Amino acid sequence: MSTMKLCVLGIGRMGLPMARRLCAAGHTVQVWNRTRAKAEALAAVGAQVHDTPATAVAEAEAVVCLLEDGPVVAQVLFELGAANAMPPGSLVIDMSSIKPAEARAHAELLAQRGVSHLDAPVSGGTVGAEAGTLAIMVGGDAADFERAAPVFAALGRATHVGPHGAGQLTKLANQMIVGITIGAVAEALLLAERGGAHMAKVREAITGGFADSRVLQVHGQRMVERDFAPRARMTVQLKDLRNALDTASALGFDAPVTALFERLYAQAIADGLADLDHAALFVELARRNGMT
């Protein structure tokens, strides 16, 4: 697999291990983060740290964005000068989780500047980012998807799911399933415990049956251990559910189950759980049942 001149914009919980993997794969990597100190650790693995996004992208064949939300992506690309500084014919691979409509708008604005775009959000959390096992959901032109193959190969398994915005639609579907399944696992385990069953044994007993899932295995274990140290935060899960509801509304689609869980996560955050892992919806459901 060929190597590329890359830039990574956004060195946070996901951006740091992903940029590290791109360096390890032999790519030439420039990095920028609003708080420079968070990016400095990458200098030890060969990345060059920049003070501005415009200087970071100046020679990049592809720019990977790992930013907080759609407005931040737009600000970095179009207000802080990144898009104008990118070479003609280069490619933005936006791996942030944003609204599909935002992804389509960014693609159009970049095309006007002669820059291509893929929306390529990921699932797998920091564990997948560190191991290079992320599920990558990609929207955009097939030719650009092929161009981005060396980037995706270092990070996980990429699937081209359709035109611009389709990657973000797929991520919303993913987050709907994850957020709702966390609630189902938490409520079921709490019910079993209230009735006198051993929670850990209940989880063990249903593993391998129709109720089994990665959420039961990973988040269910966190619930058994009461380990809610943040991997994917409650606030991020709520953001994704709200993006899903906004998109559903724009499409004239009724999503009552997602709406219910949006309210549950919002209440959990209002009750002080904002900085915990999204598996901490368990804590909110336990509180409602006097089981804290």
Side-chain angles (χ1 to χ4, degrees):
M1 189 70 70
S2 60
T3 58
M4 300 177 69
K5 294 179 180 179
L6 304 177
C7 172
V8 179
L9 302 176
I11 308 299
R13 294 178 63 85
M14 295 293 286
L16 182 64
M18 291 168 72
R20 188 181 290 121
R21 288 196 62 85
L22 291 170
C23 288
H27 299 291
T28 301
V29 181
Q30 316 294 319
V31 298
W32 171 84
N33 193 67
R34 198 179 299 272
T35 304
R36 181 185 171 106
K38 293 182 178 180
E40 291 288 0
L42 291 166
V45 294
Q48 183 174 349
V49 183
H50 291 259
D51 289 322
T52 70
T55 60
V57 305
E59 298 182 2
E61 296 174 79
V63 173
V64 176
C65 296
L66 287 155
L67 299 164
E68 183 178 357
D69 55 28
V72 173
V73 174
Q75 181 190 46
V76 172
L77 289 179
F78 306 114
E79 295 177 27
L80 299 185
N84 285 335
M86 290 182 65
S90 56
L91 171 66
V92 169
I93 306 171
D94 188 4
M95 306 187 86
S96 317
S97 292
I98 69 175
K99 296 179 182 179
E102 291 170 328
R104 290 191 291 269
H106 297 167
E108 183 175 343
L109 289 170
L110 288 166
Q112 294 170 9
R113 293 166 167 83
V115 175
S116 298
H117 174 275
L118 295 171
D119 50 290
V122 303
S123 181
T126 54
V127 173
E130 290 163 1
T133 58
L134 293 169
I136 308 168
M137 303 149 257
V138 188
D141 293 342
D144 291 326
F145 176 76
E146 294 300 326
R147 269 209 292 165
V151 177
F152 297 144
L155 303 176
R157 176 182 56 83
T159 304
H160 184 220
V161 294
H164 296 294
Q168 297 296 347
L169 275 169
T170 307
K171 178 60 185 287
L172 291 181
N174 181 87
Q175 292 305 92
M176 290 163 70
I177 293 168
V178 169
I180 291 165
T181 306
I182 284 172
V185 169
E187 190 167 274
L189 292 180
L190 284 164
L191 174 67
E193 183 174 82
R194 171 63 66 81
H198 191 289
M199 185 181 294
K201 291 297 183 182
V202 171
R203 176 184 165 279
E204 179 183 336
I206 61 180
T207 297
F210 275 5
D212 199 2
S213 67
R214 284 286 292 162
V215 170
L216 177 66
Q217 294 168 16
V218 176
H219 298 80
Q221 185 63 29
R222 292 176 192 171
M223 295 170 193
V224 167
E225 297 173 354
R226 307 302 201 269
D227 172 16
F228 302 115
R231 289 86 164 179
R233 295 178 186 271
M234 294 284 285
T235 49
V236 174
Q237 181 67 63
L238 179 61
K239 178 201 76 171
D240 289 338
L241 292 178
R242 286 177 170 169
N243 282 348
L245 289 172
D246 287 347
T247 300
S249 177
L251 294 171
F253 181 83
D254 184 24
V257 178
T258 303
L260 169 62
F261 277 87
E262 185 275 337
R263 293 192 295 272
L264 288 172
Y265 281 97
Q267 187 60 56
I269 289 169
D271 289 338
L273 306 180
D275 292 330
L276 299 183
D277 188 81
H278 53 174
L281 185 61
F282 176 94
V283 178
E284 173 65 19
L285 295 175
R287 182 195 63 78
R288 291 177 176 227
N289 286 284
M291 297 172 69
T292 55

